[in-house]
Each structure stands twice: as structure tokens, then as C-alpha cells.
Amino acid sequence: MQLPAYEHLDTWVDAHFDEQVAFLQALVQIPTDTPPGNNAPHADVTADLLTKFGFDVEKYPVPPSEVQAHGLTSITNLIVRQRYGSGKTVALNAHGDVVPPGEGWTFDPYGGQIADGKLYGRASAVSKSDFATYTFAVRALETLKSQLTGAVELHFTYDEEFGGELGPRWLLANKLTRPDLLIAAGFGYHVVTSHNGCLQIEVTVRGKMAHAAFPVNGVDALQGAIVILNALYAKNTVYRTITSEIPGIGHPTLIVGRIDGGTNTNVVPAKVTFCLDRRIIPEEDPVAVEAEIRDVIAKAAATIPGISVELRRLLLANALVPMPSAKVLVDVLQKHGQELFGEEIPTSGTPLYTDVRLYCEAGIPAVMYGAGPRTISEANVKQVDEHIVLEDLRKATKVIARALYDLLR
């Protein structure tokens, strides 16, 4: 007796779950730290694994000159297209690049080790987990392809940490894809329909070098940087009073994530460089936000004689706002998420910024949904001992498989 479609998909995912876990382990075990962003080798291995599953994988290397201009080493984006007839195309996008693991791990960040029902490793939660979620959901879907119309695509890209310009935007700009709907890598049970924008600026503070025994002969760039940093961090007091109306977004934030400077311990530093990250809530104007940040820096620098400042914008990513045309995705993901997880699946925003905005800017309705816990902090995303609960991976795969079936039948 033939099983009903949803039960058939669920049964297929269960029967192949050990294989899915092994696939995720293989992806986690290949470092994709960005920087330095040498990610083409991971794409090559991913393509080989997908080919063994019977997929025809299209590989799109980004020209080295473009990659190096963005401060990265190598990028190859992947597309898999499965067509079932005329109709709409639903794409699934996840990114393979990750931030470096940092110190303090109790598990090997590239080990893909399993303990207490969790798989540990950098990008095990965001977003190599959704390489596995989406791949195995489509594999399950393939067993019912005679009942389907339209097409599904897998987009595996490698530039999310640096803004996605050489990932989704590059694919869209080169007219390599144009889906009708998109589901992008998520962070857990919620269906994410909105996220923050992000401004990143590199600030170079210049002074004058001098011997430490005669500091009066120099101009200390670090002292100048401290004044600027204090002025910038003071803005967080104001930002905490500005709250987005979208659940999950919160308020604007500012941090400085990296500082470099000086030449030696006994030399007055003539140059200090730091990089700031300002999260922009959907209600804010990105142009006005950048103008204000530049003004704060200029006024603080002006109080230190002999100091000069150079600014270089690294990124200005727009916020994602909820798209009414994405309701068809929200409805189908909530329906199956609630049935499989046994609880209400709300929509929300996230204070992160992601690649999905690039699809939406191109007019493609999109939401974020994939494997993960109820909150980002539960998975230690971008922290030590990042992990995915394997049962969450299993259930999210079933949700995606069922959702694709509903969208394409």
C-alpha cells in the first residue's frame, strides 16, 4: 500500500538520516574560515558529494580578480536544478563560509563530533547544517517527482560573511538564476521574515611615531583612537532607546570587532586601525546612519591635535523587511513546522544580516527557515562549541521536504 505523501517523505528522511549526518560531518570537517576565505576547495568537495547523490552540479568560480578585490582567496558557487515540468521555481540557499573558530573549544571545531545527540563544529548550525537540510529534503522530494510541477534549485554560496556580493548577488547579476520563491538558511523553529541591515567601516587613525623615551616628540594614534572609540561606544546608550516594532529585531547596536596598530612596545604608535559594525534596524535610513557615524568620528578626532583619520566603508547591507508576497512560504512552513515540532511556529525578525536580502532586493519573495534551536544562543552560533541538535536537523528536513511538495505539486 502506498503511503500518503507526507508520511512517505518523513519515512524517507528517517531511513537516510545516518547518511545525512555523515554528509554534514564531511562538510564541517573542511575548514572554510573567512577570512582568509579560501572556499573553493569546500565547494569542490560538496559538488563531488552531491554528484554521488545523482545531482547534476553546476560550478561557478568567481574570477580571482573579483575575489581578491573583496579581500578573499577563492570562491566557487554551486547550483543544482531539478525540474519536474512547467511551473514556478523554488530555490534553497545556504552559505558555506564561516568566521574562524577562535579559542576555547572543548570539541574539535572541524571534527564533526557527536555527543549527547548533538553534532559539534564550526558551521554545524550556521549554515552547513542547511546544506544537509536542503540536500536531503530535495532527495526525499525526488522520490515523488511524478506528482510535481515546476522546479527546485539548490544554491550553495560562499560569501555571506563578507556581505554576499560574490555569492547570491553575483549569481543574480550574472543571470545564472532567477527563482520565483526562495527559502534561505535559518536559525531555528521560527520563520524569519525580517533582519537588520549592517554598516561596517574600517577606521585608520594616524599620528606620528616617536621613541617611548620621548613621547612628546610623537602623536599617539592609539590615544586618538581611544577618544574616537569612546565616542562611538557612547552611542549605544542612545541606541538602546530606539526599538524596532518587528519582534526579534530589538534595537540598533555598535561594536568594534577588530583593532590593529603600532610597530613595537617602545614606539609611540603612528597608526591604529579598527573595524566597526553598526546594526541597522529596518525602520532606520542606512544613508543617515552612515552619515551620523562619520560625523561622530570626525568630531572626536578633531579634539586630538595632530591626529588624522581615514574611513573606508567595508559593507552597507540593507535591512530585510517582511514581504507580503512571501506569505505562501510562511504559511506552508508554519503548517508543517507546527505539526512536526508540536508547537506554534511564529514569524520573527533577527538582529543578524544575511544573504537573503539580496534575493528580496531582486524582487524574489524569500524567508529564512532551516535546522536550528529556538534561539541562536542555544546553538553557540559564532561562539565556541557551535552545534546542531540532530533531532532538530531531522525535523527541519521533513518540514522543508513537505513544504516543497506543497509548493510544487
Side-chain angles (χ1 to χ4, degrees):
M1 176 178 171
Q2 186 176 7
L3 295 173
Y6 299 154
E7 187 177 351
H8 174 92
L9 293 169
D10 293 350
T11 300
W12 190 97
V13 171
D14 286 335
H16 294 81
F17 190 63
D18 288 345
E19 186 181 2
Q20 182 178 6
V21 172
F23 175 65
L24 177 54
Q25 286 177 305
L27 299 182
V28 169
Q29 288 164 357
I30 303 171
T32 49
D33 296 355
T34 304
N38 184 27
N39 295 328
H42 189 278
D44 290 338
V45 171
T46 302
D48 288 343
L49 292 171
L50 292 171
T51 299
K52 291 176 181 176
F53 295 151
F55 291 125
D56 183 11
V57 184
E58 301 170 18
K59 299 169 71 171
Y60 295 104
V62 179
S65 59
E66 295 183 50
V67 175
Q68 292 162 14
H70 280 72
L72 302 172
T73 306
S74 71
I75 293 176
T76 298
N77 297 309
L78 307 177
I79 296 180
V80 171
R81 308 178 205 261
Q82 300 298 107
R83 179 153 291 283
Y84 309 114
S86 61
K88 58 181 171 288
T89 296
V90 182
L92 306 166
N93 169 245
H95 68 92
D97 57 313
V98 296
V99 297
E103 299 178 353
W105 285 67
T106 58
F107 292 87
D108 179 355
Y110 306 113
Q113 296 163 271
I114 296 173
D116 299 323
K118 303 173 183 177
L119 189 153
Y120 287 84
R122 177 54 86 224
S124 59
V126 178
S127 75
K128 290 178 182 176
S129 60
D130 284 331
F131 276 46
T133 305
Y134 298 161
T135 295
F136 276 73
V138 174
R139 289 189 68 196
L141 190 72
E142 284 282 289
T143 64
L144 296 175
K145 60 185 177 182
S146 64
Q147 303 177 31
L148 306 175
T149 62
V152 63
E153 294 182 355
L154 298 173
H155 297 176
F156 294 149
T157 55
Y158 288 88
D159 183 31
E160 198 270 351
E161 300 297 346
F162 272 40
E165 299 295 320
L166 300 183
R169 191 186 294 281
W170 190 86
L171 292 175
L172 292 165
N174 284 280
K175 296 181 170 51
L176 297 170
T177 183
R178 179 70 191 191
D180 299 289
L181 298 166
L182 178 101
I183 300 172
F187 311 111
Y189 296 6
H190 291 201
V191 180
V192 176
T193 58
S194 178
H195 66 59
N196 275 345
C198 181
L199 169 67
Q200 294 179 348
I201 295 179
E202 179 186 79
V203 182
T204 300
V205 183
R206 296 188 184 275
K208 180 182 176 183
M209 188 182 297
H211 195 289
F214 306 98
V216 70
N217 294 333
V219 178
D220 193 329
L222 180 56
Q223 284 189 325
I226 289 171
V227 172
I228 296 170
L229 289 168
N230 285 336
L232 288 169
Y233 272 109
K235 296 298 294 183
N236 277 323
T237 301
V238 177
Y239 297 154
R240 283 191 285 271
T241 68
I242 306 169
T243 304
S244 173
E245 295 181 358
I246 300 173
I249 293 291
H251 57 77
T253 59
L254 184 149
I255 70 155
V256 172
R258 183 172 180 177
I259 302 178
D260 300 286
T263 56
N264 202 358
T265 309
N266 62 348
V267 178
V268 173
K271 176 183 175 183
V272 172
T273 299
F274 62 86
C275 298
L276 66 88
D277 180 300
R278 165 65 155 87
R279 297 298 159 118
I280 304 169
I281 65 173
E283 290 87 347
E284 292 184 296
D285 176 4
V287 174
V289 168
E290 182 170 5
E292 181 195 45
I293 291 295
R294 288 177 176 270
D295 185 61
V296 168
I297 293 170
K299 287 180 177 177
T303 66
I304 308 296
I307 289 293
S308 65
V309 178
E310 301 166 9
L311 305 182
R312 181 169 70 97
R313 182 206 288 173
L314 303 175
L315 172 71
L316 183 57
N318 293 323
L320 171 68
V321 297
M323 300 181 69
S325 53
K327 186 176 184 300
V328 62
L329 296 170
V330 173
D331 289 348
V332 74
L333 291 168
Q334 286 183 319
K335 168 189 170 184
H336 294 295
Q338 182 168 334
E339 183 172 335
L340 286 160
F341 283 92
E343 60 184 79
E344 182 182 357
I345 306 297
T347 60
S348 72
T350 176
L352 305 175
Y353 77 93
T354 76
D355 280 353
V356 71
R357 75 187 193 282
L358 301 171
Y359 291 95
C360 294
E361 288 173 11
I364 300 166
V367 300
M368 301 170 64
Y369 182 84
R374 289 171 179 80
T375 66
I376 295 173
S377 60
E378 288 180 47
N380 290 356
V381 174
K382 294 191 177 181
Q383 301 178 50
V384 299
D385 290 344
E386 180 180 348
H387 61 269
I388 185 76
V389 175
L390 292 178
E391 278 306 302
D392 287 343
L393 176 67
R394 184 198 301 263
K395 291 177 181 177
T397 304
K398 293 177 180 179
V399 171
I400 293 293
R402 289 183 178 198
L404 291 173
Y405 178 80
D406 283 355
L407 292 166
L408 296 175
R409 63 177 169 169

